[in-house]
Amino acid sequence: MMVKMEKVAKSFGNLEVLKNINFEISKGEVVCVIGPSGSGKSTMLRCLNHLERITSGSVYIEGELIDQRVSGRDQLKISQKKVSEICTKLGMVFQRFNLFPHMTVLQNVIEAPVTVKKLSVKEATEYGLILLRKVGLEDKKDEFPSRLSGGQQQRVAIARALAMKPKIMLFDEPTSALDPELVGEVLEVMKELAREGMTMLVVTHEMGFAKEVASRVLFMDRGEILEDGTPGQIFTNPKHERTKSFLQKVL
């Protein structure tokens, strides 16, 4: 079990964004999370990698309890150093590419391995070039992000996340900020990762990708997971009325 959320709730003030979230992901699974905007999908990802603290419930990464709270109070005695260490198992790719504009493509990719993992620049560069080749951008290694298309920037962002050698990749609507003709090149890189057996949790509006690549699909609405099933089951025979009405609008 790579990721597990148990009875997770998250509120911002009086606004309850996540309600009783329960799911787990096994090694090598690709789980796509679909649902309307504002249903809590992105918040769920951010709670997984500690960018947001849960209000209550438990979060496990690779079997290790990383967060446990009741009514906003910590139930777990764990050092920030340990939390950071566990979080390096997660790679995250955001909707906006979040590349450092003053650094070249290669510098963006090697920054975290050098500063966080204390790799030598030589070692980080060798691996960084392998990753840029993997996402089809080795020839852009000395360019600055502003010189790249949105699709190219997102592929650099994927390479940057992979540079930390994560066990699990989180994608938060990685194609929603892209022009339609650039979406395919990013999805192709993600499909290749899935083929290689990377464990992935993907928040997406790309239903074709979810149908083709996901081992499971979660449908979320109003902070709850209403359905959890195979793509075949969710897309052809959804059980919940809310899932049916959502899919009728987007398919």
Side-chain angles (χ1 to χ4, degrees), residues 160-204:
R160 180 181 60 180
L162 291 172
M164 291 293 282
K165 299 189 176 173
K167 303 280 188 75
I168 305 143
M169 283 288 282
L170 309 177
F171 291 89
D172 187 9
E173 299 192 16
T175 58
S176 64
L178 301 178
D179 292 333
E181 68 268 25
L182 302 177
V183 167
E185 65 191 52
V186 174
L187 292 181
E188 201 44 58
V189 171
M190 292 168 65
K191 286 176 188 175
E192 183 58 33
L193 285 179
R195 285 192 285 268
E196 290 168 3
M198 174 64 80
T199 308
M200 293 160 65
L201 181 60
V202 185
V203 170
T204 186

Side-chain angles (χ1 to χ4, degrees), residues 13-251:
N14 293 328
L15 179 65
E16 201 177 12
V17 182
L18 297 177
K19 306 168 195 171
N20 196 32
I21 296 289
N22 294 284
F23 74 93
E24 51 186 75
I25 300 175
S26 302
K27 186 173 170 55
E29 275 196 300
V30 177
V31 177
C32 284
V33 188
I34 64 170
S37 295
S39 56
K41 304 184 300 293
S42 295
T43 301
M44 186 171 81
L45 284 197
R46 293 174 69 84
C47 287
L48 263 179
N49 67 1
H50 242 252
L51 289 174
E52 298 284 357
R53 296 299 306 280
I54 60 177
T55 305
S56 62
S58 307
V59 179
Y60 299 82
I61 304 295
E62 228 186 359
E64 290 189 270
L65 190 56
I66 189 177
D67 206 357
Q68 189 169 53
R69 302 184 108 202
V70 175
S71 303
R73 294 177 187 276
D74 288 328
Q75 304 296 302
L76 185 66
K77 297 289 175 266
I78 182 171
S79 69
Q80 192 51 51
K81 185 170 182 282
K82 181 66 174 169
V83 168
S84 300
E85 195 182 297
I86 297 171
C87 282
T88 61
K89 295 178 179 184
L90 301 169
M92 178 115 176
V93 178
F94 298 87
Q95 192 170 349
R96 297 277 166 197
F97 327 118
N98 294 4
L99 299 176
F100 296 116
H102 61 290
M103 292 183 178
T104 65
V105 162
L106 183 58
Q107 286 168 337
N108 264 284
V109 172
I110 71 171
E111 172 71 9
V114 170
T115 55
V116 179
K117 288 203 162 177
K118 308 297 181 205
L119 285 189
S120 69
V121 172
K122 181 176 182 290
E123 199 179 346
T125 298
E126 284 172 4
Y127 189 53
L129 290 172
I130 289 169
L131 291 173
L132 287 174
R133 198 172 308 137
K134 184 187 189 76
V135 300
L137 290 172
E138 192 182 11
D139 60 327
K140 302 289 186 188
K141 65 181 177 17
D142 299 321
E143 295 282 7
F144 288 92
S146 59
R147 299 282 302 267
L148 304 181
S149 71
Q152 289 171 330
Q153 289 187 57
Q154 194 60 297
R155 285 187 279 150
V156 173
I158 294 172
R160 180 181 60 180
L162 291 172
M164 291 293 282
K165 299 189 176 173
K167 303 280 188 75
I168 305 143
M169 283 288 282
L170 309 177
F171 291 89
D172 187 9
E173 299 192 16
T175 58
S176 64
L178 301 178
D179 292 333
E181 68 268 25
L182 302 177
V183 167
E185 65 191 52
V186 174
L187 292 181
E188 201 44 58
V189 171
M190 292 168 65
K191 286 176 188 175
E192 183 58 33
L193 285 179
R195 285 192 285 268
E196 290 168 3
M198 174 64 80
T199 308
M200 293 160 65
L201 181 60
V202 185
V203 170
T204 186
H205 290 301
E206 299 292 335
M207 299 301 149
F209 175 82
K211 277 183 186 173
E212 183 186 340
V213 181
S215 16
R216 275 168 49 223
V217 176
L218 309 182
F219 174 73
M220 282 185 76
D221 189 36
R222 297 185 182 180
E224 295 180 276
I225 295 172
L226 298 184
E227 288 207 53
D228 176 351
T230 63
Q233 181 209 317
I234 299 286
F235 288 111
T236 57
N237 191 23
K239 294 185 175 69
H240 203 285
E241 283 306 319
R242 184 67 188 92
T243 318
K244 288 178 190 169
S245 68
F246 173 77
L247 291 172
Q248 278 164 2
K249 289 183 184 127
V250 298
L251 291 179

